[in-house]
Amino acid sequence: MGRRARWAGAVAPILAALLGIWLAVRHIGRTGYGLDRTDEGQYLLLMADPRSDPATVFGFGYVLHPLYALLGGDVEALRNAGFAVTALAAGVLLVSAARRCGLGWPTALSAGVASGGVSAIGFAWFPMTPSYNTVALWGSLLVATGLVQVRPSHSRSDAPAGQSRPGGRSRPGGSWAARGGWALTGAGVAVTGIGKPTSAAMTFVIVLAALLVMSAADPGPAWRERARNALAVAAGAVVVVASFVLVAHRGVGDLIGVVTAGVRGVELLQGHERLLRWDPLDLGAVTEAIGSAAGSREPDPAALQALLWLPLATLIALGTRAALAARASRDTVARISKGDPATKPPRGSRRDEFAVVTGLLLLPACYAFGTNGNLWSAAGRGAPLWVAALAIAVTGWGAARKGGSRDAERNHQARFGLALLLATALAAGVTSAASDYYYRYPSPGSGANTPVQAVIDERGNRLELTPADAASTATLLPEGRSLTGSDILDTTGASPGYVYQLGGRALGSSWLLGGYRGSGDAARHALSLEPCARIEGAIVLYAPASPRRIDTIWSDLRVDPVRDYRRLFTFRHLLGFDVQVLAPTEAGRMRLRCRAG
């Protein structure tokens, strides 16, 4: 058994790392293809000019704008940079978890590489361009890393509980290292809020619960330690918020006004307000993932639900270890009564471990909270958090502490390595199932439908597009070259990506979203925040055949698209309808009635 454990502990982390590298390379090979003109278009508009939207709950544009400017708006480079940051954050989490479990640097680094590759799953069934979801995931990973760092490691170098470290320093959770962990969780909550405020609210609840539980074992009055740890959380959040305000170059009151107007727009839209709901749980997700990976069925994001096996396995591991601990408790008590301090478990370590693992299990659900998609599937995009939870639950904080036998250490490393490998393999299978899935964009074809390189914006940036989309784009850009910098009113309800490609500034909102009961009311609210002069002179995108068109805009403005506007040119929308690009006539300007300020 010792030889098998030695080989498993040595080989499994390396295999997991190789699998992670394969996932990363595979993902990078996908980032140069396709451009969704709805969600991704909105992301690019907010990154290009985050101050342009007078009513939005998203702050990610301010965070990503420097990166966007540095890369010159290169969409492929943006996608790769967004993945690189995600992979780095996921890797640091697993390295921290491995070290806290008492494992050496080679195993920890292998775990980090594997987790970095697993993070590609956040983009495999989603737009690949970084967005508010990406920033929210970064925040969740920071919170998780902070929770893991809160307690000093119970590695072989740790002194037994109740004893001092060299230099007289004890090992309480109130140490500076632990304070840094709490500060990191606070920073993570703030980063999550910049991405998705709904996710930040739920994440804060997790952090607060962990703080109350994990501070209970600290020496001294519990209220004092909890207060100090809470101040560390607040300090981390304040640093991030202050940095955000500086980067945004806007006053706090101004930012609050924009978010308040954005919240009102969401309420009026009547499409994203149902936060608490019970979404369908697909029990055949594993079969769907296998079928999609094998090419025998159409790719379906429901395959993400196959990753729910990770939290289930984690709960089984925690239960099994609890049962084994209960069986061994009588022997442990007997040994402690004889004064053997090495057998004493670290003070509060089991409680801390349970709190951390529980937090890691719940953070993907917090990250998904607020989505209008399936919550079970959306949580799967936080798979690195579940991988870390499983590895900790299977291994335990202090299993490799000084005093354990060589076989115990090997078994300890083998459990970690095998859990890591199996979790990475499951994530790789689900990610592979998305090989032919591109969010609201056709899968690459062959023969006459082989993707072609095409210029996608006025800067000359390129992506691979379908031949039909490349031809449409080749018509759009020369015709729209004179519109660069113009105000553009999108009445199609589905064209923020074309506003971006034309180099225009979206009026009212980065995306006047059509297709919902309150789309007209939300558009009316957004346009009321724009100066009338801009609306009167705006270029208009008009698509009578668009299923998401917002017809109430015309009646609100008291103009007619045929009578009061002249057609500049027409292009074919990726979603299959023609879009007319209109400019106002002088008579149309005179007829237009604006309710804006």
Side-chain angles (χ1 to χ4, degrees), residues 292-358:
S292 298
S296 60
R297 64 168 63 198
E298 288 295 319
D300 188 341
L304 283 165
Q305 295 186 30
L307 292 165
L308 291 171
W309 283 102
L310 293 178
L312 179 60
T314 301
L315 293 176
I316 293 173
L318 285 177
T320 301
R321 287 183 54 218
L324 293 174
R327 289 179 58 185
S329 60
R330 189 170 301 174
D331 179 60
T332 301
V333 170
R335 295 178 67 186
I336 290 177
S337 65
K338 295 178 181 179
D340 182 1
T343 62
K344 294 180 181 180
R347 186 178 183 181
S349 64
R350 190 169 298 165
R351 174 171 44 197
D352 295 341
E353 180 188 327
F354 178 81
V356 170
V357 171
T358 302

Side-chain angles (χ1 to χ4, degrees), residues 526-579:
L527 290 173
S528 71
L529 304 172
E530 297 282 13
C532 284
R534 303 188 69 176
I535 297 176
E536 292 169 358
I539 299 298
V540 175
L541 302 185
Y542 173 56
S546 170
R548 289 179 172 268
R549 67 186 184 278
I550 310 176
D551 292 330
T552 56
I553 292 177
W554 300 108
S555 58
D556 288 341
L557 298 179
R558 300 183 184 179
V559 289
D560 182 88
V562 177
R563 180 192 62 194
D564 299 316
Y565 286 80
R566 59 187 177 87
R567 185 185 306 180
L568 299 179
F569 59 93
T570 301
F571 65 90
R572 189 71 174 173
H573 197 291
L574 182 65
L575 298 181
F577 51 83
D578 289 333
V579 179

Side-chain angles (χ1 to χ4, degrees), residues 196-233:
K196 284 174 63 179
T198 51
S199 297
M202 298 303 295
T203 302
F204 176 73
V205 173
I206 299 298
V207 171
L208 180 60
L211 188 148
L212 293 175
V213 171
M214 298 173 70
S215 299
D218 287 334
W223 67 266
R224 182 180 299 169
E225 291 305 318
R226 285 170 177 160
R228 290 173 177 171
N229 293 338
L231 286 175
V233 172

Side-chain angles (χ1 to χ4, degrees), residues 2-3 5-6 8-9 405-415:
R3 182 176 299 178
R6 183 172 69 248
S405 67
R406 183 65 62 90
D407 284 344
E409 283 191 48
R410 289 170 178 170
N411 291 335
H412 170 73
Q413 184 163 342
R415 288 197 301 272

Side-chain angles (χ1 to χ4, degrees), residues 25 35 79 147-148 154 164 170 195 261 324-325 395-396 408 495 539:
V25 171
L35 180 64
R79 291 170 174 173
L147 289 176
V148 171
H154 303 306
S164 297
S170 61
L324 293 174
T395 310
S495 303
I539 299 298

Side-chain angles (χ1 to χ4, degrees), residues 134-162:
T134 312
V135 174
L137 182 56
W138 294 349
S140 298
L141 292 168
L142 286 177
V143 169
T145 304
L147 289 176
V148 171
Q149 293 286 357
V150 161
R151 309 299 296 186
S153 64
H154 303 306
S155 63
R156 288 170 290 181
S157 61
D158 285 340

